[in-house]
Amino acid sequence: MSIDPITLIIVIIGIVNAIVYRFAFSKIKHLDGIVHPKSDRRIGMQASMSITDDDYAQLSRFSDSAARSYTLFTNITAIFPLLGIFGTVVSLMKSSGTDDLSVNFSMALMTTAAGLIAAMIFKFLDSFISSTLDRALDEADYLIHEHDEEKRKRYAAQAEAGYRH
């Protein structure tokens, strides 16, 4: 029994999605590494410490990058059940008018199973990074907002001091 083209496409996209997952995972871990040491500030510890402009740039860059790679991963994951259904439909359409109904029917079931198995595996992997990303993005947004607020206050204080002279 040979593998049909749609199942092969599912396997190839699965490999691509595994690479995207690894990339997203490393971006999210890096973002978490930037945010985590500073996140104690949010609960009142080290309240006098402020983030630097370099921290701000890193937070902005890695927040966007982590969110984009995670979105790509989740969108690719959502394709697998659709590919499985598509493979089923194509295989069953080939079976109309042919004598080899059992081969086409087994290929239809194989593409459905391949799509569902790939989707389940990647949804399981998603559970390892989604909460970390949500927390890291929340902390990064807080720190970025705080940095912007500090800059506005400094600018206002400098402007006010300039008007006094």
Side-chain angles (χ1 to χ4, degrees):
M1 186 159 137
S2 66
I3 189 166
D4 71 307
I6 295 175
T7 303
L8 184 60
I9 290 170
I10 291 171
V11 170
I12 291 169
I13 293 175
I15 292 168
V16 169
N17 205 30
I19 294 167
V20 170
Y21 174 81
R22 184 65 191 129
F23 184 73
F25 184 83
S26 67
K27 290 285 186 180
I28 291 166
K29 286 297 180 186
H30 189 79
L31 175 64
D32 193 44
I34 294 169
V35 169
H36 188 68
K38 306 203 180 312
S39 64
D40 288 341
R41 296 175 51 218
R42 192 167 185 176
I43 58 174
M45 298 174 68
Q46 301 174 346
S48 62
M49 190 175 123
S50 64
I51 65 172
T52 65
D53 287 339
D54 289 338
D55 292 335
Y56 176 80
Q58 274 193 329
L59 284 173
S60 296
R61 186 174 63 249
F62 278 100
S63 293
D64 292 342
S65 179
R68 274 195 311 271
S69 53
Y70 177 73
T71 299
L72 178 62
F73 166 73
T74 57
N75 286 329
I76 292 172
T77 298
I79 292 172
F80 289 110
L82 300 173
L83 284 172
I85 293 169
F86 179 68
T88 300
V89 170
V90 169
S91 294
L92 292 177
M93 284 174 39
K94 282 195 268 181
S95 69
S96 63
T98 66
D99 294 331
D100 210 1
L101 182 65
S102 64
V103 170
N104 288 334
F105 188 71
S106 68
M107 281 194 175
L109 292 177
M110 186 167 41
T111 58
T112 303
L116 291 175
I117 289 169
M120 288 185 286
I121 289 170
F122 287 116
K123 281 304 284 179
F124 176 73
L125 291 174
D126 180 33
S127 68
F128 290 109
I129 61 173
S130 63
S131 63
T132 304
L133 176 65
D134 289 343
R135 185 182 54 77
L137 287 176
D138 183 47
E139 294 294 335
D141 286 344
Y142 173 80
L143 292 170
I144 289 169
H145 174 73
E146 184 181 85
H147 181 267
D148 289 344
E149 196 64 35
E150 288 174 10
K151 281 202 150 219
R152 276 192 283 277
K153 287 177 183 175
R154 280 195 304 256
Y155 178 75
Q158 288 172 350
E160 187 177 312
Y163 289 131
R164 290 184 193 168
H165 292 287

